[in-house]
Amino acid sequence: MGPIEIFSNDQMTVYYHQDKKIIHHIMKKQVGGQPFYDAILAATDCLVQNGAKKWLSDDRLNPMLKPEDQKWAVDVWQPLILEAGWKYWSIILPDKMIGKMRMNMMAYQYSKMGVTVKTFNTPEQGLGWLTGDL
């Protein structure tokens, strides 16, 4: 069974892998503002409704989040997702070096909060880790 699309806009598409209970977002370009928030909140709602614990973030095309979007993620999204029981995060790192550094810092911060985080270069590697196929 393939993933189902649960949300899409010009910045991001979000899928849900029903058989594996994995949220999977793909950033299509630099993201930010309400379109970013809408995508992340739709993904979070799907995670909660399905009792999922795993998230695959394909961030290759997003060089980095703007400070106001990082603040939103910490103030709004972080409490929601941690309360939902999120446990495993596979990050496909941005192509740009500054984005890689920022995502690695974020990965470290979430690992201190109890989320097991690993970074990869391809979605196949990240999905393989989440499914235990690597």
Side-chain angles (χ1 to χ4, degrees), residues 79-131:
L80 293 173
I81 198 70
L82 293 175
E83 184 178 319
W86 177 42
K87 295 292 178 201
Y88 302 95
W89 191 13
S90 176
I91 303 169
I92 312 312
L93 292 171
D95 293 334
K96 306 255 185 225
M97 185 54 69
I98 187 76
K100 287 180 186 189
M101 291 180 351
R102 291 266 175 117
M103 287 307 294
N104 278 320
M105 286 184 348
M106 190 178 282
Y108 175 72
Q109 291 167 343
Y110 277 91
S111 70
K112 291 188 337 186
M113 292 180 243
V115 179
T116 302
V117 186
K118 294 213 180 238
T119 61
F120 299 93
N121 294 316
T122 69
E124 295 78 18
Q125 293 170 326
L127 186 60
W129 173 69
L130 287 172
T131 60

Side-chain angles (χ1 to χ4, degrees), residues 20-23 47 52-56 86 88 130-131:
K20 299 172 177 87
K21 296 186 98 162
I22 296 171
I23 299 296
L47 181 134
K53 306 289 182 209
K54 301 175 182 181
W55 194 306
L56 172 61
W86 177 42
Y88 302 95
L130 287 172
T131 60

Side-chain angles (χ1 to χ4, degrees), residues 10-27:
D10 68 325
Q11 294 184 4
M12 294 175 67
T13 300
V14 179
Y15 297 96
Y16 179 60
H17 298 258
Q18 291 178 289
D19 54 336
K20 299 172 177 87
K21 296 186 98 162
I22 296 171
I23 299 296
H24 177 182
H25 79 243
I26 299 172
M27 294 182 171

Side-chain angles (χ1 to χ4, degrees), residues 27-55:
M27 294 182 171
K28 302 174 190 176
K29 60 182 181 179
Q30 178 147 9
V31 302
Q34 197 61 49
F36 169 62
Y37 309 154
D38 291 345
I40 293 299
L41 291 174
T44 302
D45 287 345
C46 183
L47 181 134
V48 169
Q49 291 170 7
N50 292 285
K53 306 289 182 209
K54 301 175 182 181
W55 194 306

